[in-house]
Amino acid sequence: MADPGATLLARVAAAVGPSHVLTAPDDLAPYLTDWRGRYRGAACALVRPGSTAEVAAVVAACSDLRVPVVPQGGNTSMCGAATPDASGTTLLLSLARMQRVRALDAANATMTIEAGATLAATQAAAHAAGLRFPLSLASEGSCTVGGVLSTNAGGTAVLRYGNARELALGLEVVLPDGRVWDGLRGLRKDNTGYDLKQLFIGAEGTLGVVTAAVLKLFPAPRSQATAFAAVADADAAVRLLGMLRARLADRLTGFELIGALPLALCRKHHPALPDPLPGHPWYVLVQADDAAPDAPTAAEVEAALGSAAEAGVVLDATIAQSQAQAAALWALRENISEGQRREGPNVKHDISLPVSSIPRFLAEAAEALSRTFPGVRFVTFGHLGDGNLHYNLSAPEGGDAQDFMARAPAANRIVHDLVAAYGGSISAEHGIGQLKRDELARYKAPVELEMMRRIKAALDPAGMMNPGKILPDG
Ligand code: MLT
Ligand code: ZN
């Protein structure tokens, strides 16, 4: 009888060409562990199709031979969503070769692009056409269109433009049985029944493989302002958000909160970065953009910050005077995660809450955590403008990080119970992956979990797509 593994590899090699089927351990190694280094998996092969037809042929072969498929884009998941399990039976499907811009329709303000294009390349393609694709996040040089859609990524401009979900008009998906769904419609109005694309967005590859998307484009920003402000506490930051919104309305694109500790960690591991306003407990990074070339954006931000200072809401502030200064301020924000990673293991919480509840949440969470973990360090930062905090915890100074990590479940319970009490979410923008499956089981209503399971069973009855992700066992 034919060896099923050999049969699969032969079929897959016939579909994509033998040079795009990798099985040597050294070739596979970088794809088998996640960015944070928390998970290590195994796979029977890494396959790199170059077209939707090739993805379909690979997935059809896997379906016929009952081989599970793990799709992977830039491998930047924070939750182990793109890392296979340790069984070695799954096939790792990299979309990295599919990077084409298939169409850019400036009059319709849309771009049709393949799933393996990086987010940075997507932004650049829009920019080259005098337009903007606004999704922006720290890993944009590596993360891909397929990945950001599959995780419904958020990032730093959600306040104005929404999550990935709001930015996609159409999708092309290879279904778990290998059929292709061509939903690449560039329509802003389409009321023809269920909005199926939204099922695949945020599904983390558990319902099919996203191979291309139609994305919304926007006018490019032509008058911009980037400011950095020091505030005494989260309450002042929320008040500042209200003041800036009142003045700038939807020209306020980003409003990021940064605690003194994450800023210090970022600068420790990126010493060339500036320290614009030393010595304060909290900071806010403000981005405002206007599509009109001569709009007084910087003057308006300055005036709003001036009023906030007079009202005692802002302690000190600086406005970037050049693009280089603006980029340096953003680098202080975008490199926090990397700084924290280099510092050592940490317990991450990617939570969202009504913005109005955040100051009370932070006070209560800090008190409860400090009682259970005396000396615990709070690495709090994130997208305050849209209510998403990265409420990360590090071991006490001089404490054992591994020992602290072993107690993560107790910290998660404190944080997530409080998040639930405030009507928040335990995963704002990073997804569930492997990391939060058990937490999902705990915090989702049974009726919601049941609907999710039924959708999974309807689209992927044999459980072939990205097994072990999102849905809890059972
Ligand atoms: C970020 O906003 O920098 C990342 O989503 C956060 C993280 O590493 O927790
Ligand atoms: Zn984030």
Side-chain angles (χ1 to χ4, degrees), residues 231-241 257 282 313 355-356 358-360 362 384:
V231 290
D233 50 30
D235 192 46
V238 171
R239 287 175 64 199
L240 178 60
L241 173 65
L257 179 72
W282 293 97
V313 172
V355 173
S356 47
I358 284 178
R360 268 181 302 141
L362 285 175
L384 183 67

Side-chain angles (χ1 to χ4, degrees), residues 369-384:
L369 286 162
S370 301
R371 240 183 285 125
T372 310
F373 302 96
V376 60
R377 289 181 296 160
F378 300 98
V379 187
T380 307
F381 62 100
H383 320 288
L384 183 67

Side-chain angles (χ1 to χ4, degrees), residues 248-309:
L248 295 159
D250 67 349
R251 287 170 299 161
L252 185 61
T253 308
F255 190 90
E256 299 283 313
L257 179 72
I258 308 174
L261 180 56
L263 190 71
L265 287 179
C266 177
R267 293 196 59 256
K268 175 175 168 190
H269 294 282
H270 303 88
L273 290 178
D275 190 8
L277 307 170
H280 296 284
W282 293 97
Y283 300 92
V284 163
L285 179 61
V286 176
Q287 180 68 36
D289 304 310
D290 196 309
D294 49 2
T297 313
E300 295 220 38
V301 170
E302 197 168 345
L305 289 172
S307 311

Side-chain angles (χ1 to χ4, degrees), residues 194-262:
Y194 302 147
D195 190 355
L196 294 175
K197 68 176 178 296
Q198 297 298 355
L199 279 181
F200 297 97
I201 299 175
E204 301 182 19
T206 61
L207 300 179
V209 184
V210 174
T211 47
V214 182
L215 302 176
K216 280 189 203 168
L217 303 178
F218 296 83
R222 307 220 185 272
S223 314
Q224 299 185 270
T226 306
F228 199 68
V231 290
D233 50 30
D235 192 46
V238 171
R239 287 175 64 199
L240 178 60
L241 173 65
M243 295 176 87
L244 284 163
R245 255 188 170 154
R247 180 106 197 188
L248 295 159
D250 67 349
R251 287 170 299 161
L252 185 61
T253 308
F255 190 90
E256 299 283 313
L257 179 72
I258 308 174
L261 180 56

Side-chain angles (χ1 to χ4, degrees), residues 56 155 159 213 334 373 429 438 459:
L159 178 59
E334 298 286 29
F373 302 96
E429 61 169 4
D438 294 343
L459 290 177

Side-chain angles (χ1 to χ4, degrees), residues 78 333 337 348 381 383 390 392 429-430:
M78 296 279 184
R333 166 63 188 87
S337 218
K348 275 189 193 293
F381 62 100
H383 320 288
H390 298 304
N392 300 342
E429 61 169 4
H430 293 170

Side-chain angles (χ1 to χ4, degrees), residues 145-153 200-205 208 210 470:
V145 168
V148 296
L149 289 171
S150 294
T151 55
N152 184 27
F200 297 97
I201 299 175
E204 301 182 19
V210 174
I470 301 188

